[in-house]
Amino acid sequence: MKYDLILVNPLIRFGNPYDNIVEYLGFGYIASYLRDKRYTVKIIDFYVEGYSLEEGVNELLNHKCDLLGFTAMSSIYIKNIRQILALMKKRISKHICVGGFYVHHLDNSIIWKSLQVDTYVIGEGEETIAELVSAVKTNKSINDIRGLAYFSGNKIIFNEKRPLMSEEKLSNLPLPARDTAQKILAQNGLLQISSSRGCYGCCTFCAVYEYCSKFTKERWRPLSMDRVVREIEKLVCTYKTKYFDFSDEDFIGPHNRKQRIEYFCNELIKRKLDIKFMIFCRSSDVDKKLFEKLKCAGLDRVFIGIEFGSDELLKKYHKGTSSKMNCAALSILKELHIKSSVGYIMFTPDITIPLLRENLQFYFENCQFKLRALSSKLVIYPETEVYYRFKNLGILGNLTWDITFGDYYECDFLDQNVDLIYKTLSKIVLLLSKSHSYVKIAHLKRENRLLWETNMEMWKNDIYNLILGFLDTVENSDAKLDNNAISQDFINEVIEWDKTRFIIKNT
């Protein structure tokens, strides 16, 4: 069958525990917007289908279209698109375009020039792709379509930038298509809902802030909550699902918009939808009265961007919060028995040992303990403010890709002692994840939760004190001492402690 538009998610699965089956909502919005204008659209999602590149290509070759569109959220998508186009060997469309977050890094480098696609969609895709489909089908010029870029010979041409859609436009979009919903739910995945786009924060390390600020001063744009509730009601009725993942970068939004959250809660409660959902938010968003209401409406889990426990670090990176605010937010969530996951950054390239102590202390005293947080490091995304800061300092390394963080730059530490501490704690995290005492305590979680909590608290405090001792040793060490020896002595100390760690087995 021939379609006006085929949308392709070229990401394939990695075959490990990170393979969560998540709906790509961007395609849902583009598909519904185009279908509302009477265009035919097919979505082929390699990730949801579990396709290899070869299997996905075979599926593509069964169809034809006027416009073939790929999403590119990071460099691995571009790598896959290149391989897909090479494997196809024949063209199934008149025109090929690529959109998605990664495309706003478009430049004259060889990776883009050699991709052999016709156009790139920069920014939100709904309006741009609708105009592009129309132009392709009628053989009209694309030169005046805002939000498009393309190569003319070796020169890249950027058409006029298309502003991000306003709050009114977003609220009037048709509900997103759910072509992949059944397959996602069949694989224990979650359906996503968007109630806003962007984030009102201005963190200097945030790729979302960097992206949105290129287009508009209104970095956070909400959708109507009437629309959101209607969408939930339809999904519950259609798919009999009761758990939803809100994809919003910041679900709550600025303080002057919190009434919309109260309205949302009241509507869910009034309609007795009996759902559960999870959200992302900032610590400045957490208000006890509001979150009590959210819990009554079905809030089950919150991912909260704490980032740092040091006021100096929070200020330096323009987080717009304080350690007191962070502490209060975590206390409220704990008091209300709302599950939380914390975004925390233990190390930054410019952190000092005193600030690291402060950061460690806050984490151990206030956050649900996760071993990996001990060696968590600030991720440097391309073109963010911190990217330019550390580039100017000459400590930025190579661009790399990671399954969790996507594309980011390696970065050295300004303080060599901090570098030693980071490398040592990275080794300690790996060691402790398989340690005798940690495994024994983990077994208690299934047998006796009280015993597990008691042992875990003591184990965590021991680790904290051991790390503080190591920091003191590094800070006060003679410059002539061998850093490798200092590190190995600490590792040996942890190994010996682990062997002799006493596990409480009764209360």
Side-chain angles (χ1 to χ4, degrees), residues 442-471:
H443 284 160
L444 289 173
K445 191 172 184 178
R446 293 190 295 269
E447 299 167 6
N448 186 318
R449 190 165 185 89
L450 179 59
L451 276 178
W452 171 74
E453 289 175 351
T454 303
N455 277 280
M456 194 65 216
E457 188 65 25
M458 293 175 64
W459 188 89
K460 182 182 77 171
N461 289 337
D462 281 356
I463 293 296
Y464 177 54
N465 289 323
L466 284 165
I467 293 172
L468 288 183
F470 175 56
L471 265 58

Side-chain angles (χ1 to χ4, degrees), residues 138-199:
T138 56
N139 297 313
K140 290 184 178 178
S141 171
I142 62 170
N143 295 350
D144 295 327
I145 298 177
R146 292 185 297 172
L148 276 189
Y150 46 91
F151 281 95
S152 177
N154 286 325
K155 184 181 179 183
I156 190 169
I157 307 295
F158 288 93
N159 288 354
E160 182 184 343
K161 188 181 295 183
R162 185 182 295 275
L164 299 181
M165 284 188 280
S166 66
E167 180 178 339
E168 182 181 2
K169 274 190 175 181
L170 287 176
S171 293
N172 287 323
L173 288 174
L175 295 180
R178 300 285 176 169
D179 295 28
T180 59
Q182 291 284 20
K183 289 190 176 180
I184 288 167
L185 292 171
Q187 298 173 76
N188 296 317
L190 296 176
L191 298 188
Q192 290 197 317
I193 295 175
S194 172
S195 74
S196 64
R197 293 186 184 182
C199 177

Side-chain angles (χ1 to χ4, degrees), residues 420 424 427 470 482-492:
L420 172 67
T424 305
K427 292 176 182 177
F470 175 56
D482 181 2
N483 282 345
N484 288 331
I486 294 172
S487 175
Q488 192 57 53
D489 284 347
F490 176 60
I491 291 171
N492 291 339

